[in-house]
Amino acid sequence: MIVVIIKKFYHKLFFARRKDKRMILVLKKGVREDQIGEVLEIAKKFNLSGHISKGEEQTVIGIVGANIPAELQGRFGGLPFVENVIRISKPYKLAS
């Protein structure tokens, strides 16, 4: 289920015709709205934007911006409600 969400979400982020760097955060089950807000606030401090995708079981946040600092991956990964941080460094094409 999570793979389908990530593929759909990545497709949405990547094909927005941007040359930005991207990062996907997979949040743990049962994440609260205030925790999602915390992630978005951190992103905003770095002049990045976050795009939320909520599924039945999982929530995914895509982070996009002109420059995502390397230390931000560790900062997001250190949050107790973040399951996985996926840094997207180069494009790929989805196969059907």
Side-chain angles (χ1 to χ4, degrees):
M1 178 63 143
I2 187 67
V3 173
V4 172
I5 292 172
I6 289 177
K7 281 184 179 180
K8 286 181 181 178
F9 195 66
Y10 179 78
H11 187 270
K12 186 180 194 182
L13 283 176
F14 183 74
F15 291 102
R17 302 279 182 214
R18 294 181 171 200
K19 294 182 180 179
D20 305 338
K21 306 246 179 176
R22 296 160 194 87
M23 182 182 290
I24 295 177
L25 307 178
V26 180
L27 306 181
K28 293 182 180 177
K29 283 185 181 182
V31 67
R32 299 185 317 263
E33 289 296 322
D34 63 315
Q35 293 171 323
I36 293 172
E38 184 179 342
V39 169
L40 296 177
E41 282 299 316
I42 293 170
K44 190 175 180 179
K45 287 179 184 176
F46 286 88
N47 294 321
L48 305 170
S49 60
H51 303 277
I52 303 167
S53 179
K54 292 184 181 183
E56 285 184 32
E57 297 183 17
Q58 210 81 52
T59 300
V60 177
I61 301 177
I63 305 293
V64 294
N67 186 20
I68 298 178
E71 72 268 9
L72 197 55
Q73 184 170 356
R75 186 166 179 183
F76 283 134
L79 296 172
F81 50 87
V82 174
E83 186 175 302
N84 197 3
V85 179
I86 304 163
R87 192 171 182 95
I88 301 170
S89 58
K90 58 183 177 178
Y92 71 90
K93 185 175 180 178
L94 294 175
S96 54

